[in-house]
Amino acid sequence: MQPTEGDLNQVHTVGDNSMYANESGLVVPVVTRGGLESARTGQSEGASRIAGVSPQHTPATRIWFGKVSNDPSYRSVPHHHGEAETGGYVLSGRARIYFGEKYLDYIDMAEGDWVFVPPYMPHIECNLDRNRPLTWMTTRTPENIVVNLADVADAALRDWADRA
């Protein structure tokens, strides 16, 4: 059903959002300016995660939203994100996520692809490109939880060494 002009002119308030009020008592959007993102977030060696929206630097309490950058040929250590549901969007580059028993399964993604990674799912994130960086937009609820696991050898990852 499409809203009518009358619907668009009415202000609807549902629920109490007063916990997000600033020092003046106003509830307003919070903007993180480019270049001022927070690096105070869970990390895995070799990946750069910066938060645009997070509990560490905004009033957010149940969401982490940021940008993840991977160098050419980057491969994360196996990890999972605890209770967090994770959504990702490939801004640029080519990605691979290994998962499953002994990381024998994988999915590949390219610019414009979206991915959902369920809570507690061990996986390995990779940049397939040997020359260009990979950049993702990532969101997690409730937070950017990163639990690093024991590493595996490159040779154990099917099709990793001979990727195009």
Side-chain angles (χ1 to χ4, degrees):
M1 173 185 219
Q2 294 286 31
T4 66
E5 186 175 324
D7 291 334
L8 295 175
N9 292 327
Q10 293 181 11
V11 175
H12 296 280
T13 55
V14 178
D16 178 14
N17 65 2
S18 61
M19 69 180 272
Y20 301 101
N22 64 17
E23 304 80 37
S24 302
L26 298 173
V27 178
V28 298
V30 175
V31 175
T32 301
R33 299 288 178 199
L36 299 177
E37 299 89 352
S38 173
R40 294 182 310 147
T41 189
Q43 301 288 343
S44 297
E45 186 176 339
S48 169
R49 293 184 180 103
I50 59 170
V53 176
S54 76
Q56 289 76 29
H57 75 289
T58 71
T61 62
R62 297 185 308 257
I63 188 169
W64 183 93
F65 181 45
K67 184 166 62 171
V68 180
S69 299
N70 305 135
D71 289 336
S73 295
Y74 166 80
R75 176 181 81 79
S76 75
V77 298
H79 64 281
H80 66 78
H81 299 288
E83 67 181 292
E85 293 182 327
T86 299
Y89 176 78
V90 180
L91 279 174
S92 62
R94 296 182 308 130
R96 174 173 290 168
I97 297 179
Y98 286 94
F99 62 96
E101 188 164 336
K102 297 183 180 180
Y103 307 103
L104 293 176
D105 298 307
Y106 65 80
I107 55 168
D108 288 344
M109 292 158 285
E111 185 173 317
D113 288 343
W114 300 83
V115 64
F116 170 72
V117 179
Y120 301 103
M121 188 181 97
H123 61 284
I124 299 171
E125 300 163 12
C126 304
N127 180 352
L128 287 171
D129 201 300
R130 296 174 190 267
N131 301 303
R132 291 188 301 253
L134 166 65
T135 305
W136 311 74
M137 293 304 294
T138 303
T139 190
R140 292 197 178 94
T141 59
E143 167 73 85
N144 187 44
I145 301 164
V146 180
V147 179
N148 292 317
L149 305 170
D151 205 358
V152 297
D154 283 354
L157 298 174
R158 184 169 55 98
D159 299 331
W160 176 245
D162 59 350
R163 67 195 181 280

